[in-house]
Amino acid sequence: MDRIVILANGTWSTRTQIRRHAAAADFVIAADGGFAKARRARVRVDLVVGDFDSLAPGAFRALERAGIEVRRHPVEKDASDLELALDEALARRPRSVTIVGALGARIDHTLTNIHLLERGAAAGVDVRLVHGADTIALIEGPSVLADARVGDRVSLVPLSETARVSTEGLRYPLRDEVLRRCASRGVSNEVAALPVRIDAAAGRLIAIHGRREVRR
């Protein structure tokens, strides 16, 4: 399996963007209330995972009628619905996992979901969070921002206490410099030239890539 998309129950992007992600996926997993949002947006779902405390009875009946595969868990559990959905995705050994709806009003969920990127790294799978025009990815070692455009915003935020980082293609380059988790040194850089290369020679960080709005 090449690409899996997970639909979480946080803040969604536009329906057009969600449909585009789902259409390009080999398999689509909804995490609990993400199914209700997928149903309203008319996005296909292959598997629904969760305790279903976020689904109204009508949405759950629609799920049963559609014959969609279900992994139901107890409400009192040790993992979030999104973590359980990610485990289902990683068990299928895909090349990449894209998660939409992982961020939102719940700060505790938002922070936890960002750290779930480390589960993808441990499994050797490219896991990314998509939130509107922003994509969040974990960086260990050398990486290329393949879909960057000049003018895009790039922020580098350490997950480890420190990260030793070099960059190429950014307006404010880093040359084997130490970024600290307790400081804002890596925030709000800008793509100045292509390709954009980011090398975390030591430590672990997240790259938040914000696509520049194209005005027509």
Side-chain angles (χ1 to χ4, degrees), residues 16-37:
T16 300
Q17 185 186 41
I18 301 300
R19 288 171 184 152
R20 186 169 66 248
H21 283 296
D26 299 298
F27 198 76
V28 179
I29 301 174
D32 204 313
F35 173 72
K37 292 186 176 183

Side-chain angles (χ1 to χ4, degrees), residues 148-154 169-171 189-194 196:
R149 299 176 302 194
V150 172
D152 286 357
R153 170 180 42 80
V154 177
L170 298 182
R171 181 179 179 186
N189 214 322
E190 183 180 307
V191 176
L194 300 175
V196 175

